[in-house]
Amino acid sequence: MDDIISLAKRRGFVYPGSEIYGGQAGMYDYGPYGVELLNNLKAAWWKTHVYDRDDFYGLDSAIFKDPRVWDASGHTSGFSDPLAECKKCNMRIRVDKELEKIGVTADEKMSEADLQRLFDENKDKLQCPKCGEKDFGPVRMFNLLVKTNMGDFTGEMAEPVYLPGEACQGIYLNFKNVVDTTPAKIPFGIAQIGKAFRNEISPRNFLFRTRELEQADTQYFIRPNENKDEYERIKQRRMDWYVAMGIRPENLRLKQHENLVFYAADAWDIEYNFPSYGFDELEGIHDRTDYDLTQHTKFSGTDLSYFDPQTNEKYIPWILETSVGMGRMFLAFLSDAYTEDEVNGEKRVYLRLPMELAPVKVAVSPLLKNKPELVAKAREVYTMLKKEFGAVAWDDNGNIGKRYRRQDEIGTPYCVVIDFDTLEGDTKDTVTVRNRDTTEQTRVRIEELPGVLAR
Ligand code: GAP
């Protein structure tokens, strides 16, 4: 993971947030290549969940919502993690995660007192991850919602407006709107990629646990009790998607939750085998029953039941959810693509990203940057390919070997080089195309380049 983090920084994928001020825990910025990979992942996800489906609708809901939304959802009361503070170095630990490390499971629904008891029983085995001390203050439940003073002019945050603890609430608020304004008939789904914020006690493991995140969610609205088969289909589809997008199947597994969060009747995680940390949650797939629409009906006073024209029944729809953090997805794809091999006796690092996800599709280089005739021809090829593929890079920095290494580390599938053979003789108007994964080089006619590269 250290190698991946270092590549992400070195090659402009991910920078530590507010770095010039020393960096901020759990905050990251995506650099020029990172934002391309992130956008490509979002586009691929959106294509599968919106464009390729007849029964899905897209949404982009506002970040700020009526604060009562978070009472209805259960977040103001139930969205908490247990925290304890090391008495020596003041490091704050997440009690359930530290207990998990020594093989003790803390139930999501445990009260503060129960957690304190469990913590005390295992005190001898628990130590501060920072200073090693075994002396902690009391366990207290810490609410993860981030408060803001948006529209609160009391000056004391007496009427806070929350940032979303989970992006999906915007979908529930708009369920009725989507039914009223589109042909949607149950069963149907709403897809959204939206921001969420969590006051995580210990943001950790690079992009894995951050305080600001983006969730790609699908909420599938179904008839009551028709959850079982559809739930299985959804789980399988999501597993298949990762494999189709290039993730190695052996790095994925499904795991059922032993402890259910407050809104779920059943919950499974798609876990990814993250380098250094091992298998951990990548995506959550939740059977939320009628919890959400019932709660919002109760708290808003707006009836969110649905009249089903097929069964002539009125009911509160049940919901099957998939939710994945884009940062975690980014990390999984970056990790899976990270490859080391040897070329001509030298270690090489490259990102084995499919063309669809690669931040740069093709890099174009004149063999020598001080030969105007090579540069002019290379510019022509560059302009032509840019029109075709958009994300095409001009690279004339350093010798050709260095350019290949740089493009390999960015994950550029093809490098096109314009050399003296491009200008004259039998090979006139042909270029060298170098394949990232095999490092093989072939000569291709310029006019055939777009077709060859697209294939
Ligand atoms: N709406 C359901 C929901 O929010 P969740 O299991 O809390 O469920 C869903 O979150 C997904 O969001 C997780 O599987 C993970 O990919 C991502 N996620 C959650 N908390 C995160 C955090 N602090 N940092 C990065 N990603 C996070």
Side-chain angles (χ1 to χ4, degrees):
M1 187 52 81
D2 285 345
D3 292 338
I4 291 167
I5 296 171
S6 145
L7 179 137
K9 172 81 200 297
R10 188 172 72 245
R11 289 296 179 210
F13 281 86
V14 181
Y15 308 127
S18 310
E19 194 183 12
I20 59 169
Y21 286 93
Q24 224 190 354
M27 297 293 173
Y28 293 94
D29 298 332
Y30 290 90
Y33 300 112
V35 68
E36 294 297 331
L37 175 55
L38 188 68
N39 284 344
N40 293 342
L41 283 168
K42 287 183 195 173
W45 183 92
W46 193 264
K47 180 180 178 303
T48 303
H49 294 98
V50 182
Y51 301 149
D52 291 353
R53 298 286 298 251
D54 296 326
D55 54 348
F56 257 88
Y57 298 84
L59 187 81
D60 186 9
S61 61
I63 284 189
F64 290 106
K65 296 172 170 66
D66 188 307
R68 288 171 296 175
V69 167
W70 305 105
D71 293 333
S73 68
H75 282 77
T76 45
S77 53
F79 190 50
S80 308
D81 282 338
L83 169 155
E85 201 167 316
C86 170
K87 281 191 177 163
K88 189 175 171 204
C89 73
N90 301 110
M91 164 96 177
R92 294 188 187 106
I93 60 157
R94 232 184 97 169
V95 170
D96 54 337
K97 291 289 168 199
E98 292 304 316
L99 285 167
E100 212 174 274
K101 281 188 198 161
I102 56 160
V104 178
T105 308
D107 197 297
E108 290 262 0
K109 292 181 180 113
M110 270 184 169
S111 68
E112 208 168 76
D114 288 342
L115 277 161
Q116 183 72 62
R117 209 167 305 123
L118 199 64
F119 193 61
D120 289 343
E121 280 165 22
N122 292 283
K123 228 170 187 163
D124 291 347
K125 287 175 260 164
L126 292 164
Q127 58 179 40
C128 173
K130 192 169 163 198
C131 72
E133 190 62 43
K134 291 186 166 184
D135 199 6
F136 293 95
V139 174
R140 60 193 172 87
M141 293 308 282
F142 180 76
N143 192 288
L144 303 188
L145 280 180
V146 177
K147 289 177 186 171
T148 79
N149 67 349
M150 219 275 303
D152 171 9
F153 301 104
T154 63
E156 284 147 10
M157 291 266 267
E159 295 161 4
V161 176
Y162 303 96
L163 292 178
E166 56 175 3
C168 62
Q169 291 300 324
I171 297 184
Y172 311 141
L173 302 188
N174 286 290
F175 163 73
K176 203 170 145 28
N177 282 334
V178 173
V179 169
D180 290 347
T181 56
T182 70
K185 298 266 176 302
I186 278 181
F188 76 92
I190 301 179
Q192 174 182 250
I193 300 176
K195 290 266 186 183
F197 301 82
R198 297 181 178 185
N199 237 336
E200 294 286 356
I201 294 163
S202 48
R204 66 187 170 96
N205 296 350
F206 192 35
L207 300 171
F208 183 83
R209 193 174 300 289
T210 51
R211 289 185 172 141
E212 173 181 337
L213 54 137
E214 206 165 15
Q215 291 178 313
D217 288 335
T218 66
Q219 309 290 323
Y220 202 57
F221 297 89
I222 56 169
R223 298 192 179 103
N225 298 305
E226 291 194 358
N227 48 340
K228 293 279 179 286
D229 291 350
E230 191 57 43
Y231 192 52
E232 293 309 311
R233 275 195 290 274
I234 289 174
K235 279 192 296 191
Q236 195 53 51
R237 265 195 229 120
R238 288 302 301 139
M239 285 290 275
D240 293 347
W241 184 81
Y242 285 109
V243 176
M245 292 304 300
I247 296 275
R248 288 165 232 253
E250 64 271 25
N251 283 336
L252 293 167
R253 72 179 185 197
L254 273 164
K255 189 170 168 222
Q256 189 169 23
H257 277 215
E258 283 170 34
N259 304 310
L260 293 171
V261 283
F262 55 90
Y263 54 73
D266 194 5
W268 288 70
D269 287 341
I270 293 179
E271 292 191 333
Y272 177 75
N273 190 13
F274 291 96
S276 311
Y277 330 141
F279 277 98
D280 211 333
E281 176 180 351
L282 167 61
E283 169 163 348
I285 304 178
H286 309 130
D287 181 350
R288 299 180 74 122
T289 67
D290 62 354
Y291 176 83
D292 304 284
L293 295 186
T294 303
Q295 287 295 100
H296 286 302
T297 296
K298 223 185 275 173
F299 279 72
S300 69
T302 304
D303 182 10
L304 296 179
S305 59
Y306 171 83
F307 177 76
D308 194 324
Q310 273 184 307
T311 61
N312 278 335
E313 282 172 315
K314 199 174 165 199
Y315 53 79
I316 295 268
W318 286 26
I319 293 172
L320 299 173
E321 167 184 73
T322 70
S323 182
V324 54
M326 286 308 309
R328 268 189 212 182
M329 193 198 278
F330 181 102
L331 185 55
F333 276 89
L334 194 63
S335 306
D336 223 77
Y338 184 92
T339 314
E340 289 178 0
D341 67 358
E342 227 181 72
V343 174
N344 302 330
E346 265 184 52
K347 185 186 139 186
R348 168 178 88 125
V349 172
Y350 69 101
L351 294 183
R352 200 184 44 89
L353 287 168
M355 184 87 157
E356 187 182 357
L357 297 181
V360 175
K361 313 301 179 195
V362 192
V364 179
S365 288
L367 182 65
L368 300 170
K369 71 172 174 187
N370 58 358
K371 296 284 173 201
E373 61 277 32
L374 288 181
V375 173
K377 194 73 189 165
R379 278 280 166 201
E380 254 177 57
V381 173
Y382 169 74
T383 308
M384 175 185 80
L385 292 179
K386 212 166 169 58
K387 267 193 207 137
E388 199 73 27
F389 297 103
V392 175
W394 174 264
D395 194 350
D396 62 3
N397 201 2
N399 66 38
I400 204 75
K402 281 209 175 104
R403 294 180 214 167
Y404 285 156
R405 293 290 172 276
R406 179 165 51 241
Q407 295 300 331
D408 284 346
E409 290 201 350
I410 294 167
T412 307
Y414 302 105
C415 288
V416 168
V417 177
I418 285 75
D419 53 22
F420 291 107
D421 290 342
T422 310
L423 306 179
E424 57 201 9
D426 293 349
T427 52
K428 191 166 186 300
D429 287 332
T430 65
V431 292
T432 305
V433 177
R434 186 239 191 205
N435 179 306
R436 174 198 65 202
D437 299 354
T438 62
T439 71
E440 257 172 30
Q441 300 185 19
T442 42
R443 282 206 88 84
V444 176
R445 296 198 62 73
I446 290 174
E447 66 196 35
E448 291 170 7
L449 255 185
V452 168
L453 294 175
R455 271 199 301 283

